[in-house]
Amino acid sequence: MRPARAADERPDDHLDDLDDHADNDLGDHPDTDLGGHPDADLGDHPDTDLDEPAEHARFAAYTAELEHSTPAEEPALVRRILTDPDRTMAESAVTRHLDRRAAAIHATPDYTEWARSMAAATAGHAFLADRLREWTLLRDVCLNHPWDPEALTRSSSDWLQLRLAEAPATPVPALTLLADQGRTKRIRHLARTSLRLRRGGSRPCRL
């Protein structure tokens, strides 16, 4: 049985680790982090257990199912995945899916109904609710819809601020705000750099 998740453990903390195992053989993938695998040098360890950890296999299966799901299938599939006993892994798979889908459709009219359906499907999962809220704020910023500056500076995560700060196409008001009030030195630096690189008027954010 997996130990209980620590209070400050976030699903996206595990995405890189799970992604390394989702589709790739350890011996062939140059970016795989082998630090957690003391027997990663398979040539020197003939008795190494080659079985993939069960949660990694389920993560790969879930992300593949989500990627190929239709809009009609998507909400029920998300609900089913979130019943997995490994809550962190399940939320990581759904987070990855939300990020992929939102990046693809956030600037389109389809986003509003999709976000509403995902909010219902992920009810009871605070991290996923926050992620959807931040995608909606990002959409409002990028499309020059009305948005609350305090929501960006006081209640948004490093993830959202970094995503906006590193994109020169982010509208100037948001970049200016982040250059001055970003949560970290890195965010403030990226926002200032994006402001210097920016040319012309507002354009759609490219994510």
Side-chain angles (χ1 to χ4, degrees), residues 71 101-117 136 139-140 143 145 204:
R101 285 282 289 147
I105 68 171
H106 75 282
T108 74
D110 294 337
Y111 175 83
T112 302
E113 181 56 36
W114 172 80
R116 186 179 297 116
S117 70
T136 299
R139 179 177 191 266
D140 289 341
L143 297 183
H145 292 172

Short mmCIF file of all heavy atoms in Angstrom, two decimals, residues 71 101-117 136 139-140 143 145 204:
data_model
loop_
_atom_site.label_atom_id
_atom_site.label_comp_id
_atom_site.label_asym_id
_atom_site.label_seq_id
_atom_site.Cartn_x
_atom_site.Cartn_y
_atom_site.Cartn_z
N PRO A 71 -15.60 14.10 -26.73
CA PRO A 71 -16.19 15.02 -25.75
C PRO A 71 -17.31 14.39 -24.93
O PRO A 71 -17.46 14.70 -23.74
CB PRO A 71 -16.71 16.17 -26.62
CG PRO A 71 -15.80 16.17 -27.80
CD PRO A 71 -15.51 14.72 -28.07
N ARG A 101 -5.68 19.75 -23.14
CA ARG A 101 -6.92 20.18 -23.77
C ARG A 101 -7.09 21.70 -23.67
O ARG A 101 -7.47 22.36 -24.64
CB ARG A 101 -8.11 19.49 -23.11
CG ARG A 101 -8.27 18.05 -23.50
CD ARG A 101 -8.89 17.92 -24.88
NE ARG A 101 -10.30 18.30 -24.85
CZ ARG A 101 -10.95 18.87 -25.86
NH1 ARG A 101 -10.30 19.17 -26.96
NH2 ARG A 101 -12.23 19.17 -25.76
N ALA A 102 -6.80 22.26 -22.50
CA ALA A 102 -6.97 23.69 -22.33
C ALA A 102 -6.01 24.47 -23.22
O ALA A 102 -6.38 25.51 -23.78
CB ALA A 102 -6.78 24.08 -20.87
N ALA A 103 -4.79 24.00 -23.36
CA ALA A 103 -3.83 24.68 -24.23
C ALA A 103 -4.33 24.70 -25.67
O ALA A 103 -4.11 25.67 -26.41
CB ALA A 103 -2.47 24.00 -24.15
N ALA A 104 -5.03 23.64 -26.06
CA ALA A 104 -5.50 23.54 -27.44
C ALA A 104 -6.75 24.38 -27.71
O ALA A 104 -6.92 24.89 -28.82
CB ALA A 104 -5.79 22.08 -27.78
N ILE A 105 -7.62 24.55 -26.69
CA ILE A 105 -8.92 25.18 -26.97
C ILE A 105 -9.19 26.44 -26.17
O ILE A 105 -10.27 27.01 -26.29
CB ILE A 105 -10.07 24.18 -26.73
CG1 ILE A 105 -10.21 23.84 -25.25
CG2 ILE A 105 -9.89 22.91 -27.57
CD1 ILE A 105 -11.46 23.03 -24.90
N HIS A 106 -8.23 26.91 -25.36
CA HIS A 106 -8.55 28.03 -24.47
C HIS A 106 -8.96 29.29 -25.21
O HIS A 106 -9.69 30.12 -24.68
CB HIS A 106 -7.35 28.34 -23.55
CG HIS A 106 -6.23 29.04 -24.23
ND1 HIS A 106 -5.34 28.37 -25.05
CD2 HIS A 106 -5.86 30.34 -24.25
CE1 HIS A 106 -4.46 29.23 -25.52
NE2 HIS A 106 -4.75 30.43 -25.06
N ALA A 107 -8.49 29.45 -26.44
CA ALA A 107 -8.82 30.65 -27.21
C ALA A 107 -10.06 30.48 -28.08
O ALA A 107 -10.39 31.39 -28.86
CB ALA A 107 -7.63 31.07 -28.06
N THR A 108 -10.75 29.36 -27.95
CA THR A 108 -11.92 29.09 -28.79
C THR A 108 -13.21 29.15 -27.97
O THR A 108 -13.18 29.02 -26.73
CB THR A 108 -11.81 27.69 -29.43
OG1 THR A 108 -12.07 26.69 -28.44
CG2 THR A 108 -10.43 27.47 -30.04
N PRO A 109 -14.35 29.28 -28.63
CA PRO A 109 -15.63 29.29 -27.90
C PRO A 109 -15.92 27.96 -27.20
O PRO A 109 -16.72 27.92 -26.27
CB PRO A 109 -16.67 29.56 -29.00
CG PRO A 109 -15.90 30.23 -30.09
CD PRO A 109 -14.53 29.63 -30.07
N ASP A 110 -15.26 26.87 -27.64
CA ASP A 110 -15.52 25.56 -27.02
C ASP A 110 -15.04 25.49 -25.58
O ASP A 110 -15.47 24.61 -24.82
CB ASP A 110 -14.82 24.45 -27.83
CG ASP A 110 -15.40 24.29 -29.21
OD1 ASP A 110 -16.56 24.67 -29.42
OD2 ASP A 110 -14.67 23.79 -30.09
N TYR A 111 -14.13 26.39 -25.21
CA TYR A 111 -13.52 26.28 -23.89
C TYR A 111 -14.54 26.39 -22.76
O TYR A 111 -14.47 25.63 -21.78
CB TYR A 111 -12.44 27.35 -23.70
CG TYR A 111 -11.87 27.34 -22.30
CD1 TYR A 111 -10.85 26.46 -21.95
CD2 TYR A 111 -12.39 28.17 -21.30
CE1 TYR A 111 -10.36 26.41 -20.66
CE2 TYR A 111 -11.90 28.13 -20.01
CZ TYR A 111 -10.89 27.24 -19.70
OH TYR A 111 -10.41 27.19 -18.41
N THR A 112 -15.46 27.32 -22.86
CA THR A 112 -16.36 27.59 -21.74
C THR A 112 -17.17 26.36 -21.34
O THR A 112 -17.23 25.99 -20.15
CB THR A 112 -17.31 28.75 -22.08
OG1 THR A 112 -16.53 29.91 -22.40
CG2 THR A 112 -18.23 29.06 -20.91
N GLU A 113 -17.78 25.69 -22.29
CA GLU A 113 -18.57 24.51 -21.99
C GLU A 113 -17.68 23.37 -21.52
O GLU A 113 -18.04 22.61 -20.61
CB GLU A 113 -19.38 24.09 -23.21
CG GLU A 113 -20.27 22.87 -22.96
CD GLU A 113 -21.22 23.05 -21.79
OE1 GLU A 113 -21.72 24.18 -21.60
OE2 GLU A 113 -21.46 22.06 -21.06
N TRP A 114 -16.51 23.23 -22.14
CA TRP A 114 -15.58 22.18 -21.72
C TRP A 114 -15.15 22.39 -20.26
O TRP A 114 -15.15 21.45 -19.46
CB TRP A 114 -14.35 22.17 -22.62
CG TRP A 114 -13.27 21.25 -22.15
CD1 TRP A 114 -13.21 19.89 -22.33
CD2 TRP A 114 -12.12 21.60 -21.37
NE1 TRP A 114 -12.08 19.38 -21.71
CE2 TRP A 114 -11.40 20.42 -21.13
CE3 TRP A 114 -11.62 22.80 -20.88
CZ2 TRP A 114 -10.20 20.39 -20.41
CZ3 TRP A 114 -10.43 22.79 -20.15
CH2 TRP A 114 -9.75 21.59 -19.93
N ALA A 115 -14.79 23.61 -19.91
CA ALA A 115 -14.36 23.90 -18.54
C ALA A 115 -15.49 23.63 -17.55
O ALA A 115 -15.25 23.11 -16.44
CB ALA A 115 -13.89 25.34 -18.43
N ARG A 116 -16.71 23.94 -17.93
CA ARG A 116 -17.86 23.67 -17.05
C ARG A 116 -18.02 22.16 -16.83
O ARG A 116 -18.25 21.72 -15.69
CB ARG A 116 -19.12 24.28 -17.66
CG ARG A 116 -20.34 24.19 -16.75
CD ARG A 116 -21.55 24.83 -17.40
NE ARG A 116 -21.35 26.25 -17.64
CZ ARG A 116 -21.31 26.84 -18.83
NH1 ARG A 116 -21.47 26.10 -19.93
NH2 ARG A 116 -21.13 28.13 -18.95
N SER A 117 -17.89 21.39 -17.89
CA SER A 117 -18.06 19.94 -17.75
C SER A 117 -16.92 19.33 -16.93
O SER A 117 -17.13 18.41 -16.14
CB SER A 117 -18.15 19.27 -19.12
OG SER A 117 -16.91 19.30 -19.80
N THR A 136 -8.84 29.38 -16.83
CA THR A 136 -9.85 30.38 -17.18
C THR A 136 -9.29 31.78 -17.04
O THR A 136 -9.54 32.66 -17.88
CB THR A 136 -11.10 30.20 -16.31
OG1 THR A 136 -11.65 28.88 -16.56
CG2 THR A 136 -12.16 31.24 -16.64
N ARG A 139 -7.00 32.39 -19.91
CA ARG A 139 -7.80 32.68 -21.11
C ARG A 139 -8.27 34.13 -21.12
O ARG A 139 -8.19 34.83 -22.14
CB ARG A 139 -9.00 31.73 -21.16
CG ARG A 139 -9.93 31.94 -22.35
CD ARG A 139 -11.04 30.90 -22.32
NE ARG A 139 -11.78 30.89 -23.57
CZ ARG A 139 -12.90 31.58 -23.79
NH1 ARG A 139 -13.41 32.33 -22.80
NH2 ARG A 139 -13.52 31.51 -24.95
N ASP A 140 -8.77 34.59 -19.97
CA ASP A 140 -9.25 35.96 -19.90
C ASP A 140 -8.12 36.95 -20.17
O ASP A 140 -8.31 37.94 -20.88
CB ASP A 140 -9.87 36.23 -18.54
CG ASP A 140 -11.19 35.51 -18.33
OD1 ASP A 140 -11.81 35.11 -19.34
OD2 ASP A 140 -11.59 35.34 -17.16
N LEU A 143 -7.09 36.76 -24.00
CA LEU A 143 -8.10 37.25 -24.93
C LEU A 143 -8.55 38.68 -24.62
O LEU A 143 -9.50 39.18 -25.21
CB LEU A 143 -9.31 36.31 -24.93
CG LEU A 143 -9.05 34.88 -25.39
CD1 LEU A 143 -10.35 34.07 -25.41
CD2 LEU A 143 -8.39 34.85 -26.77
N HIS A 145 -10.09 39.74 -22.10
CA HIS A 145 -11.36 39.83 -21.39
C HIS A 145 -11.10 40.51 -20.04
O HIS A 145 -9.96 40.57 -19.58
CB HIS A 145 -11.93 38.43 -21.15
CG HIS A 145 -12.36 37.76 -22.42
ND1 HIS A 145 -12.75 36.43 -22.46
CD2 HIS A 145 -12.46 38.20 -23.70
CE1 HIS A 145 -13.07 36.10 -23.69
NE2 HIS A 145 -12.90 37.15 -24.47
N PRO A 204 -2.80 36.93 -29.65
CA PRO A 204 -3.19 35.77 -28.86
C PRO A 204 -1.97 35.11 -28.22
O PRO A 204 -0.90 35.05 -28.82
CB PRO A 204 -3.84 34.84 -29.89
CG PRO A 204 -4.26 35.74 -30.99
CD PRO A 204 -3.24 36.83 -31.05
#
